[in-house]
Amino acid sequence: MLVNLSIRNIVLIEKLDLTWRAGLCTLTGETGAGKSILLDALALATGARGDAGLVRSGAEQGTVTAAFDIPEDKLVKRIMEEHDLPCEGQIILRRVQSKDGRSRAFINDAPVSVNLLKTIGSELVEIHGQNESQSLTDGPVQLSLLDSYAGHGDKVDALKQKYSHLMECEEQLELYKNASDRAAAEEDFLRHALKELEKIDPKEGEEESLSEERTLLMNSEKIAGYIAEALVLMEGDKALQSSLNGALRQLEKVSDQAAGRLDTTITALERAVIEADEAQTQLLEASRDLVYDPQRLEQVEERLFGLKALARKHAVQVDQLPATKTMLQQQLDDIESGADRLNELQQNVEKAFKDYEVLALSISKTRQQAALKLDKTVMKELEPLKLNGGGFQTVLSHVTPSMGTATGIDSVQFMASTNPGMPAGPISKIASGGELARFMLALKVALAEASEPLTMIFDEVDAGVGGAVAEAVGSRLKLLAENGQVLVVTHSPQVAACGNHHWLISKSVDDDSTMTRVEELSTQNREEEIARMLAGASVTEEARAAAVRLLGGQL
């Protein structure tokens, strides 16, 4: 239940703090006084789209704060717990709208997204604008109303999830079929390409080793010549080893008399002799190994060029050819094993469809039962709303489960007749604006039995009706408010008189500034306001007496 509403700098309201009560709360006032501003402000606080135009002229920002008392088991508390929001005592929604168009949202002083504010707000308040009754002509809205009455919202939510899962399974199957078709078309190419790679059998790092061997083979004669010259120099009369050995022998003759000063040199010469011998040995081995082989060179070049040609063909590096071979083999394996995967995906679709079908048929059966009950309940409300002789029927049509949607296999159309003997037709074509409003009110009274209590707000639901019909509308609104709270903006004195509480909205001009004011009326002031609504600009004693009679029937 809405208990407090605080508004700062919204349109014509500079500062306003209102305390609300349970039951039917009526709001009246002259046209243009600002009744709709209150509804716009409350809508903003409960998650409606922000609008810079709502900020009062001259102010930087406007703020609306709405406080609610809720039952312990209210769904909104569970939603808040899921989002780690504090939830003790009242729930306070606050919206700050800046004149630059930006807005911020808070729940119990914790910053939240506007979407979350809207989710929470929709569980606390239901706002019906002046054209709300037109929504009765919309099929999805009618289906939603029926589901609300049936009380199987959890099943409908589960059905949407099952439908989504079914769509995902069908999409996966379709994608795999398309991929399989493309793969099958490329199978011949894959087999030919794999055969080429298997024939050459590329090895990782092979390009580098072949390039090195090719370079060596191409230069083997030149290298052999230089090795031979080096060996001649090392083995001649003035060979390095002979010179080193001669120097070593001369120093060894006097090493004992040199007091150790030649020891380091002698050691170095010994190492040099050993290294020179080893170098000569390695040169001899290299000379024997290095043989010019034109046939081997041809083989190396043929393989190296073959590898490079295949790499260009597959648009990869030579070293990536082994991985390319593995990838082509995997693609062929996938084609060969595709039947198993295709069968698996088809089974997934069949299972998902069966799960959807079972729940969709169950929901459809519940809807049919609820439709019959709803028709009876609404019919009981037509006479009090002065639709005597009228009729109401919920017509369900079905499609096969294979043609179902996220909401199931059913579509709904509310059919109505407004006079005895008239054939029933779609409610949008049969009912006038005032009759639509009354049909909507009858539905709301019927649905209230199956819904959690929440604050309901009606903006001129009595538009287009008057006299006894308006009085009937007022009585049903009061009935609707018995276990909750209903706020109604009205121009009808009959509806205003039905209220448990009454607020007057007025507009005043002070120092060239226009402001909207709201005042809760006492019993005497209510009589005067209802008399004004009955008489117009000039309130007569007859109007006052009529107002007393109207209120006397309600108080």
Side-chain angles (χ1 to χ4, degrees), residues 385-402:
L385 288 169
K386 308 303 180 184
L387 287 168
N388 307 54
F392 179 86
Q393 184 180 8
T394 305
V395 177
L396 281 168
S397 56
H398 318 283
V399 295
T400 61
S402 62

Side-chain angles (χ1 to χ4, degrees), residues 318-461:
V318 172
D319 282 346
Q320 294 174 314
L321 286 175
T324 302
K325 175 186 171 185
T326 302
M327 179 187 71
L328 294 177
Q329 184 63 62
Q330 183 62 53
Q331 290 177 350
L332 281 172
D333 291 344
D334 289 343
I335 292 173
E336 293 171 356
S337 64
D340 294 337
R341 177 59 176 162
L342 184 63
N343 183 57
E344 178 186 350
L345 291 174
Q346 287 173 334
Q347 289 179 351
N348 289 344
V349 170
E350 291 171 4
K351 183 179 184 307
F353 175 74
K354 188 64 178 179
D355 291 343
Y356 169 82
E357 180 183 37
V358 169
L359 187 55
L361 290 172
S362 173
I363 288 174
S364 180
K365 183 177 180 180
T366 304
R367 283 170 174 163
Q368 294 175 54
Q369 296 169 346
L372 295 174
K373 185 179 177 183
L374 177 63
D375 292 346
K376 294 178 181 178
T377 305
V378 172
M379 287 292 293
K380 292 179 182 179
E381 295 297 324
L382 297 185
E383 184 174 352
L385 288 169
K386 308 303 180 184
L387 287 168
N388 307 54
F392 179 86
Q393 184 180 8
T394 305
V395 177
L396 281 168
S397 56
H398 318 283
V399 295
T400 61
S402 62
M403 299 295 291
T405 67
T407 55
I409 62 173
D410 308 296
S411 57
V412 172
Q413 187 170 57
F414 289 158
M415 307 287 283
S417 61
T418 56
N419 295 296
M422 279 186 59
I427 196 169
S428 60
K429 297 180 179 180
I430 296 297
S432 65
E435 289 168 336
L436 267 178
R438 282 180 280 162
F439 272 114
M440 185 195 72
L441 189 55
L443 275 167
K444 289 299 178 184
V445 173
L447 291 171
E449 300 177 4
S451 304
E452 291 188 12
L454 78 167
T455 297
M456 301 181 69
I457 300 174
F458 294 90
D459 186 9
E460 300 187 20
V461 68

Side-chain angles (χ1 to χ4, degrees), residues 159-176:
L159 185 67
K160 292 177 181 177
Q161 294 177 1
K162 291 184 181 298
Y163 181 80
S164 177
H165 178 60
L166 173 60
M167 292 299 100
E168 289 176 3
C169 291
E170 290 184 345
E171 182 181 7
Q172 289 177 1
L173 176 60
E174 187 65 22
L175 288 173
Y176 190 80

Side-chain angles (χ1 to χ4, degrees), residues 103-115:
S103 70
R104 292 172 291 153
F106 302 85
I107 299 178
N108 286 355
D109 288 329
V112 297
S113 68
V114 174
N115 284 338

Side-chain angles (χ1 to χ4, degrees), residues 20-279:
W20 300 94
R21 309 178 193 284
L24 179 60
C25 305
T26 58
L27 295 88
T28 64
E30 297 284 359
T31 300
K35 297 184 293 296
S36 294
I37 297 175
L38 289 179
L39 301 188
D40 290 341
L42 185 56
L44 186 67
T46 53
R49 185 174 181 177
D51 184 354
L54 291 173
V55 180
R56 188 169 181 267
S57 177
E60 291 296 317
Q61 64 181 30
T63 304
V64 185
T65 304
F68 295 84
D69 283 339
I70 60 172
E72 283 299 320
D73 59 347
K74 186 73 174 174
L75 173 62
V76 67
K77 282 196 172 183
R78 296 196 293 274
I79 296 175
M80 291 183 66
E81 289 172 357
E82 291 173 1
H83 289 84
D84 296 324
L85 290 172
C87 186
E88 296 180 4
Q90 292 183 341
I91 292 180
I92 300 174
L93 310 184
R94 180 161 58 94
R95 186 81 171 275
V96 180
Q97 176 67 57
S98 301
K99 70 176 184 180
D100 61 6
R102 293 179 298 175
S103 70
R104 292 172 291 153
F106 302 85
I107 299 178
N108 286 355
D109 288 329
V112 297
S113 68
V114 174
N115 284 338
L116 180 56
L117 183 73
K118 186 175 183 178
T119 299
I120 298 292
S122 65
E123 294 295 327
L124 296 171
V125 178
E126 188 176 287
I127 300 177
H128 301 279
Q130 295 183 23
N131 297 320
E132 180 69 19
S133 57
Q134 297 299 322
S135 66
L136 283 181
T137 65
D138 185 67
V141 171
Q142 295 174 355
L143 182 62
S144 177
L145 288 171
L146 179 61
D147 285 336
S148 295
Y149 187 74
H152 58 192
D154 54 341
K155 288 187 177 181
V156 174
D157 290 340
L159 185 67
K160 292 177 181 177
Q161 294 177 1
K162 291 184 181 298
Y163 181 80
S164 177
H165 178 60
L166 173 60
M167 292 299 100
E168 289 176 3
C169 291
E170 290 184 345
E171 182 181 7
Q172 289 177 1
L173 176 60
E174 187 65 22
L175 288 173
Y176 190 80
K177 283 182 176 179
N178 292 337
S180 297
D181 291 342
R182 290 193 301 270
E186 297 174 356
E187 184 174 0
D188 290 340
F189 165 77
L190 292 174
R191 292 192 183 281
H192 174 73
L194 184 60
K195 186 176 181 180
E196 285 184 325
L197 285 166
E198 287 177 338
K199 182 178 180 180
I200 201 168
D201 192 20
K203 302 292 190 295
E204 189 174 347
E206 189 176 8
E207 180 185 22
E208 183 179 358
S209 63
L210 286 173
S211 295
E212 290 178 352
E213 185 178 0
R214 177 173 178 263
T215 300
L216 183 62
L217 287 168
M218 289 176 66
N219 295 281
S220 59
E221 288 184 306
K222 181 179 178 181
I223 297 170
Y226 281 102
I227 290 175
E229 290 182 11
L231 287 172
V232 170
L233 291 172
M234 295 182 75
E235 295 172 350
D237 293 339
K238 297 181 179 180
L240 176 61
Q241 293 96 319
S242 298
S243 300
L244 291 172
N245 280 319
L248 179 60
R249 286 194 297 272
Q250 294 299 321
L251 294 177
E252 286 177 342
K253 291 178 182 179
V254 294
S255 62
D256 293 340
Q257 291 86 30
R261 295 182 179 230
L262 297 176
D263 292 350
T264 302
T265 303
I266 291 171
T267 301
L269 285 170
E270 289 174 343
R271 287 199 307 270
V273 170
I274 294 171
E275 292 289 341
D277 288 340
E278 185 175 343

